[in-house]
Structures are given as structure tokens and as C-alpha cells.
Amino acid sequence: MNDMIYLDYAATTPLDPRVRDAMLPWLDAETHFGNPASDHALGRRARAAVEQARAQVAQLIGAGADEIVWTSGATEANNLAIKGALEFRGLKGAHVVTSRVEHKAVLDTCRYLETQGTRVTYLTPQADGIVGVEQVLAALQPDTALVSLMWVNNETGAINPVEALAPRLRERGILFHVDAVQAVGKLPVDLARVPIDLLSLSAHKLYGPKGIGALFVRKRPRARLAPQIHGGGHEQGMRSGTLATQQIVGLGEACRIAAGALVEEGERLRGLRERLWQQLQALPKIHLNGPADRRAPGILNVSFAGAEGESLRAMLPQLMVSSGSACSSATREPSYVLRALGRDDELAGSSLRLSLGRYTSEAQIDRAAAEIIAAVRFLRELSPLWSES
């Protein structure tokens, strides 16, 4: 493993040792195993840890602790937000606006709701991958109940203008859900200032454990949801189930660490990303997928004309990279996100998503760039169709 370079932080992040250390006591079989819902000493101890973590998550995103609802991850949070908002209002035939480049956890949820009578408009982003404010507003209808839009695209890093869009939707009385998995802990998120109603996040995208996430549910004005999991009325009646104390503590600690390093780490990653991009430009006919400027600091998505995608990835066994979302890569099909941006199947299939993180170094960037350049040049030399002109 020492020879491998991990550049797939957008898929998942390694567990920070400080997060692991915070979690370990809550796996103790003698003193920290209590159920947070139990009203005795062990239960109260666990409940105090859960509430401390709730406050840590809230602090990172500018929310109140009572606005944080624990889930098993962002997929569940997205389902609870979208289905729960519509079901609570009994709006079976209502209208929803989203985009074609959302995560499958949003797209598949919307497609399910269409089978139940919901009408959904899927917006195509601009050529740079950003969904504009005016695009969303133009798609609104008199019975639009919800807009669901990701803050940062998980494949291109494009940053959508959710901060500008939120007040425009608020004044129209339309609920706004934001999948912020790739934004929380990486970009400043201040829900005390930005009137988003529902926001999803996940621990394993910010150096916390897998299997835990949260949904921000605004209290004032109140965003009410119908629960999707029943059985005990936990989490203010929105999400039943015994809380996984150790996972929750891990998410809280991950958020605490992220809050303390947000600006500095963002600048470091932006510098590493630009270092990588500058070196890759030694190759002709490469295409940056996503905006040049409004992009998350740790994501670089590049298509390499003349280099067949599967062959390219096979020639990079020491680089842990992807061709797109981890939730879609098993299909072996070109990225639906890149196709929505206008890339043809061949170019979309020849893309690499290079995502950087906390443990990425300059030496790793330089080695990765050299290996990618060598692999692309080799494949182009083999191709009878390749031409630099």
C-alpha cells in the first residue's frame, strides 16, 4: 500500500486518527455501551456524548443543535428530506425541481416519487456544470413544493449558487433542500445566514466513519417532515432507531476538526489541485470538466482525448482514482454527469476524477501527474485514430 497514491477523496476519506480515538471509548464493553435513550447512568452518559456531537455538527454549519437529525448517511438524509417534505404536506401530485447531475440518492428518489404522481423537472446545467439561479426560477410552477440542488457536484466540483438561490425560494414559500456532502467541511457553510430549509451531510466525506450522517431541518420557519423510518419516535419523531453512539461521536469530532482547519486546508488543496492541472496541461487535447473558478478546492476532473478510459485506468494501478461517482462506477458506463455537460460517450469515458484531501502531498501530486502523462502518451501512440492536429 505504501506505493499507492490515494486520489479518490470525493468517494470516501480515510478515518482521521483523532476521530478514531474519540470513538474508541464508546466501544468499551464495560463503561460506555449504554443506550442514549435509557434513563440511567450509562444511558445518560451516552446521551451527553450524542448531544455534544450534535452541537459540534451544528457549529460547523451555523445551525442550532436542535436542528440536527441523525441518519445512517447522506442517502438516507436525502430520502428523508425529499420524501418526508412532500408526504408531510400530502402533496402527492406536487412539482419538484432538481438537476440532471445530482447524486443518485436524489435522482433515484425523485424517480420513485414520479411513480407516485409527483412531477419532476430535471434541469440541465450550463456548459461549466453549474445550475444557475435563473434556470431554477424559470422552472418553477404554481405548485412547486420543493427544489433539491447539490451545493458541490461530486464529479466536477462545480459550486452551485445555492446561497443566492435560497432567499429567492424563501420569498416564494418553496422548500429548499441541499445535498451538501461535498461542501460541508470543505467550504464555509453558514445556515444562520443562508435560508436553506433542509441540508444533508455525511461523515465519511470529512474523515469520519461510514454509516452515519445528518439532516439539518430548519426550526424557524419550521420545515416539517413525515418520517421514513417508524418505531419509537426518536430524533423528534423524524427518524426512529437506536442511536449509534460511537458513530455519532465520530461525526462530531470530524466536524470539530474540520471547523478548525477549513480556510487553511482549502487554500492548501486549491494549490495542490492547480499544481496537478498545470502539469497535466503538458498533454494536448485534454478537457477540464467543470468551471475554471467556481469549483471545490479538492476536485479536478479531466478528459483525455485519444485515451480509452478503461485502458487508461488499467495503466494506473498505483493511483486510486475514479471515472466519476463511486455510486455509479460499477455500471462501466460513461458518467451521466459529464454527458449532461455535453461530453460525448468517448470523451466522458476517458475522464479521470482526481480528488485530493487531507493527506495528499506535493510529492504525490508530481508522481501522479507523471504517471498519467506517460499512460496517456502510450495509449495515444497505440491508437491509429489519434492525431494532435
Side-chain angles (χ1 to χ4, degrees):
M1 288 294 292
N2 291 338
D3 293 333
M4 293 185 179
I5 297 177
Y6 188 73
L7 294 176
D8 203 18
Y9 283 84
T12 193
T13 56
L15 188 69
D16 190 296
R18 293 167 290 181
V19 173
R20 180 197 60 212
D21 291 345
M23 293 172 62
L24 285 176
W26 300 99
L27 295 169
D28 191 292
E30 294 185 4
T31 60
H32 289 72
F33 65 90
N35 186 328
S38 297
D39 192 21
H40 49 58
L42 287 179
R44 289 193 295 273
R45 181 181 297 168
R47 186 159 62 252
V50 165
E51 295 311 314
Q52 178 183 354
R54 204 186 302 269
Q56 289 170 322
V57 175
Q59 183 175 10
L60 177 62
I61 62 174
D66 60 348
E67 295 176 307
I68 304 301
V69 174
W70 303 120
T71 67
S72 63
T75 294
E76 184 191 338
N78 289 339
N79 274 262
L80 175 57
I82 298 170
K83 294 177 186 174
L86 296 181
E87 289 178 8
F88 182 85
R89 289 158 182 78
L91 299 175
K92 191 172 183 179
H95 179 240
V96 170
V97 176
T98 188
S99 85
R100 296 186 182 279
V101 296
E102 299 300 306
H103 191 276
K104 289 288 189 180
V106 168
L107 291 177
D108 287 355
T109 299
C110 287
R111 287 174 182 136
Y112 163 77
L113 289 172
E114 286 183 288
T115 70
Q116 306 301 302
T118 301
R119 298 177 354 268
V120 182
T121 296
Y122 299 93
L123 298 174
T124 299
Q126 301 160 173
D128 60 3
I130 293 174
V131 179
V133 171
E134 295 305 321
Q135 278 184 275
V136 176
L137 297 181
L140 300 180
Q141 299 177 13
D143 61 345
T144 301
L146 176 76
V147 172
S148 181
L149 192 66
M150 59 189 359
W151 198 311
V152 172
N153 185 268
N154 54 307
E155 293 195 26
T156 66
I159 301 173
N160 283 318
V162 297
E163 294 173 300
L165 178 60
R168 306 288 294 275
L169 296 176
R170 170 63 58 80
E171 66 189 18
R172 290 164 170 79
I174 297 170
L175 282 176
F176 190 20
H177 165 248
V178 173
D179 177 343
V181 165
Q182 298 291 347
V184 171
K186 303 172 181 67
L187 301 176
V189 175
D190 186 2
L191 297 177
R193 181 178 59 85
V194 183
I196 291 167
D197 300 290
L198 302 158
L199 181 140
S200 308
L201 60 93
S202 179
H204 80 99
K205 304 292 188 177
L206 61 153
Y207 310 93
K210 297 175 180 65
I212 184 68
L215 178 66
F216 161 80
V217 183
R218 187 171 293 279
K219 285 280 190 181
R220 292 168 291 277
R222 191 175 183 87
R224 300 184 68 89
L225 303 175
Q228 301 303 297
I229 299 176
H230 301 86
H234 305 79
E235 293 301 284
Q236 305 174 60
M238 284 181 273
R239 200 274 186 177
S240 294
T242 300
L243 297 177
T245 308
Q246 73 280 359
Q247 303 295 91
I248 290 169
V249 167
L251 174 51
E253 179 67 4
C255 288
R256 184 194 69 78
I257 294 169
L262 190 67
V263 175
E264 180 182 355
E265 180 67 357
E267 291 176 353
R268 189 184 76 88
L269 290 179
R270 193 172 292 106
L272 288 175
R273 185 196 69 197
E274 290 310 302
R275 183 186 184 97
L276 178 57
W277 174 233
Q278 289 299 322
Q279 292 185 55
L280 292 179
Q281 289 180 81
L283 293 166
K285 291 191 177 181
I286 65 173
H287 304 268
L288 175 66
N289 297 313
D293 299 319
R294 288 188 54 84
R295 188 155 38 102
I299 296 179
L300 176 65
N301 193 310
V302 183
S303 294
F304 301 88
E308 194 276 325
E310 287 301 315
S311 299
L312 176 58
R313 288 182 284 278
M315 290 191 65
L316 301 169
Q318 300 303 315
L319 301 188
M320 305 297 103
V321 301
S322 72
S323 56
S325 168
C327 296
S328 303
S329 59
T331 65
R332 302 288 184 181
E333 294 180 356
S335 163
Y336 68 89
V337 172
L338 299 188
R339 285 184 292 180
L341 269 59
R343 302 297 189 217
D344 60 32
D345 284 0
E346 183 178 355
L347 202 54
S350 69
S351 67
L352 294 179
R353 181 186 67 178
L354 306 158
S355 49
L356 289 51
R358 186 169 291 169
Y359 307 109
T360 307
S361 67
E362 285 189 358
Q364 289 177 331
I365 289 296
D366 294 345
R367 182 180 144 204
E371 293 190 13
I372 293 169
I373 290 169
V376 171
R377 284 175 173 164
F378 178 81
L379 291 173
R380 285 175 171 177
E381 288 176 1
L382 291 180
S383 173
L385 302 177
W386 167 249
S387 171
E388 291 189 8
S389 58

